[in-house]
Amino acid sequence: MKPIVKSSEELLPHLFRQEYAKMTAVLCRHFGLAHIELAEDIASETFLKASENWPINGIPQNPTAWLYTVAKNKLKDYFKHTAIFESQVKKQIIASPISDQQDFEFDPKIIADSQLAMIFAVCNPGNPMENQICLALQILCGFSVGEIANAFLTKTETIKKRLLRARNQLRKDHFRIKELNEKEITQRLETVLRTLYLLFNEGYFSKTNNQVIRKDLCSEATRLALVLTDNPLTKTAQTYALLSLMCFQSSRLEARTNPEGEAILFEDQDKSLWDNALIEKGNYYLIHACSGAEVTKYHLEAGIAYWHTTPTDQKNGSIFYSCMISSSL
C-alpha cells in the first residue's frame, strides 16, 4: 500500500527520483545524445515549475501526467524560440521533425522504451566500461557525482573526469537513441546489467544522507531489470539471475532497519517482516536463470540470497535446489 502524500514537498522528491531520468530519455529521442544537456535542462525546469506551482495551486489530479505535459510544452517552446535550435539542432532532426503525429505523450510504454533504448545508447563500447557506467548512473539513475564515487569506491575528481570524457565521446560519435541490432545489444548487455547492479547496491547499502537503505533505488533497479526480461534479446540467464538477486534482497528490506533507521543484522531480523511474494518471485526468476549452462556472479549471489531467505524444509523440495545440485556434479 502506497503511503499517503500530504504535501508537494513530500511528493516532488519522490517523483524527481522516479521520473527525471525517464523524462530525459524521452526528450533525448528528439534532441539526440549529442545535446543531452538540453534534455536535462528541460527536465530540471519542469520540476522547478512544479515546485513553484503546486504549493500555490495544489497538487494536480495526475501529477506525473502534469509533469510530462509541461515538459512537452517546454520542448515546443524551445524549438520555436531558441537560436540554438536553428543553428545547431535543426539539421540533425530534420529527417524526423516533431509534428502532431509524432509528439510525445504520457504513454508508459513509450517512456519505458525510451529509457531502455537510452541505457544501451549510453553504454557505448566507444567509452571504457567504467565511463559508460558512470554516465548511465548519472543520466539514467539521477546519481550525483558523490553517489557515483561511493559506488566505485573512488574519488569524486576521478568520477568528474570519467563523466566529462564519456559525454565528449558521445558528442564526437553523434549518437542518437535508435534501435540496436542483436550484436550491439549483446556487446552492451553486460555493462547495462552492471549499471543496474550498482544502482541496486546503492539503495541496499546506501552511504547517502546517512541513510542505510534507499528503497526507491532498489525499486528502480528492479523495474529496469524487469524491463530487460520483456525483450527476447536481453532476457538472458544472466539477466534473470540479477533480477532474482534483486527480488531476494528486496524481500528483506522492511526487516533490515529499526524505527530509528539503524541497521539490523541478519540473525536479528524479524522474519515475519520478510516479503514472501518477493521471495517466490526470486525463486521463479532463479529457475529461469538456471535453464542453461551459464553461471555468472549474479547466479552465485542469487544462490546465496536464496539460501538466506528460504527455509531448509522448502530448499530440499524446490526445483532450484535440484538445479544447484545438478550443476555442482
Side-chain angles (χ1 to χ4, degrees):
M1 188 170 130
K2 294 182 179 179
I4 298 175
V5 178
K6 298 180 180 179
S7 67
S8 60
E9 287 77 10
E10 294 175 335
L11 177 60
L12 272 171
H14 170 75
L15 285 176
F16 183 85
R17 175 66 72 180
Q18 294 294 319
E19 302 298 333
Y20 175 83
K22 301 175 191 176
M23 188 180 294
T24 301
V26 174
L27 289 167
C28 274
R29 275 188 178 271
H30 301 292
F31 284 119
L33 290 177
H35 300 278
I36 193 169
E37 287 86 356
L38 299 178
E40 292 174 324
D41 286 345
I42 288 180
S44 297
E45 289 171 7
T46 297
F47 280 93
L48 177 61
K49 184 171 182 178
S51 69
E52 296 171 345
N53 182 284
W54 293 3
I56 297 174
N57 299 317
I59 298 174
Q61 185 174 3
N62 190 331
T64 307
W66 186 97
L67 290 169
Y68 279 89
T69 299
V70 170
K72 177 178 65 176
N73 291 335
K74 285 184 176 293
L75 178 66
K76 290 180 177 179
D77 289 342
Y78 176 83
F79 284 155
K80 289 178 181 177
H81 301 297
T82 64
I84 296 177
F85 167 66
E86 294 295 334
S87 61
Q88 300 180 22
V89 183
K90 189 174 182 178
K91 293 180 181 179
Q92 298 183 30
I93 66 171
I94 196 168
S96 57
I98 293 179
S99 63
D100 291 338
Q101 290 73 36
Q102 197 188 3
D103 204 356
F104 83 82
E105 300 293 342
F106 176 60
D107 184 328
K109 185 179 186 305
I110 291 175
I111 294 168
D113 289 347
S114 295
Q115 194 173 20
L116 185 58
M118 189 161 174
I119 291 176
F120 280 91
V122 169
C123 292
N124 164 31
N127 277 316
M129 181 179 286
E130 291 80 5
N131 294 5
Q132 296 175 45
I133 295 173
C134 286
L135 190 58
L137 287 173
Q138 184 184 61
I139 295 173
L140 300 169
C141 309
F143 273 35
S144 67
V145 173
E147 289 172 324
I148 299 173
N150 286 338
F152 277 92
L153 302 177
T154 190
K155 297 179 180 178
T156 57
E157 288 303 317
T158 301
I159 298 301
K160 288 179 182 178
K161 292 177 182 177
R162 288 180 184 176
L163 289 170
L164 180 61
R165 287 194 292 267
R167 286 175 179 264
N168 287 340
Q169 185 65 44
L170 287 182
R171 292 191 191 94
K172 178 181 176 182
D173 293 342
H174 302 293
F175 270 95
R176 295 186 61 83
I177 295 179
K178 61 184 178 66
E179 185 175 347
L180 301 176
N181 58 43
E182 183 174 353
K183 180 180 179 181
E184 290 173 317
I185 289 177
T186 302
Q187 288 176 335
R188 302 179 186 199
L189 182 58
E190 182 179 351
T191 305
V192 171
L193 293 178
R194 187 177 170 193
T195 301
L196 299 185
Y197 177 79
L198 290 175
L199 171 60
F200 186 90
N201 278 355
E202 174 58 25
Y204 196 74
F205 295 108
S206 181
K207 298 179 181 178
T208 305
N209 298 327
N210 296 319
Q211 293 178 277
V212 176
I213 296 174
R214 298 173 66 185
K215 296 177 184 177
D216 56 337
L217 298 188
C218 293
S219 175
E220 181 66 3
T222 305
R223 184 189 70 80
L224 291 173
L226 187 59
V227 170
L228 290 175
T229 64
D230 289 334
N231 189 311
L233 296 177
T234 56
K235 60 176 183 180
T236 65
Q238 188 174 200
T239 301
Y240 277 120
L242 177 59
L243 183 56
S244 172
L245 170 62
M246 291 176 175
C247 289
F248 284 134
Q249 300 293 60
S250 295
S251 71
R252 298 190 292 109
L253 288 178
E254 295 297 332
R256 288 190 61 234
T257 56
N258 61 24
E260 289 72 38
E262 299 169 332
I264 299 177
L265 297 178
F266 177 83
E267 295 78 8
D268 300 324
Q269 290 175 13
D270 181 356
K271 293 181 176 56
S272 67
L273 297 177
W274 291 4
D275 190 326
N276 290 321
L278 280 174
I279 294 174
E280 291 176 5
K281 287 183 179 179
N283 284 324
Y284 172 81
Y285 293 127
L286 195 49
I287 290 170
H288 277 279
C290 292
S291 59
E294 181 182 18
V295 178
T296 67
K297 60 175 281 187
Y298 304 126
H299 285 81
L300 298 177
E301 290 193 37
I304 294 171
Y306 159 84
W307 221 257
H308 284 160
T309 54
T310 307
T312 302
D313 58 339
Q314 294 182 24
K315 288 189 184 84
N316 293 332
S318 73
I319 298 175
F320 172 65
Y321 181 79
S322 301
C323 293
M324 289 295 288
I325 294 299
S326 300
S327 299
S328 64
L329 295 178

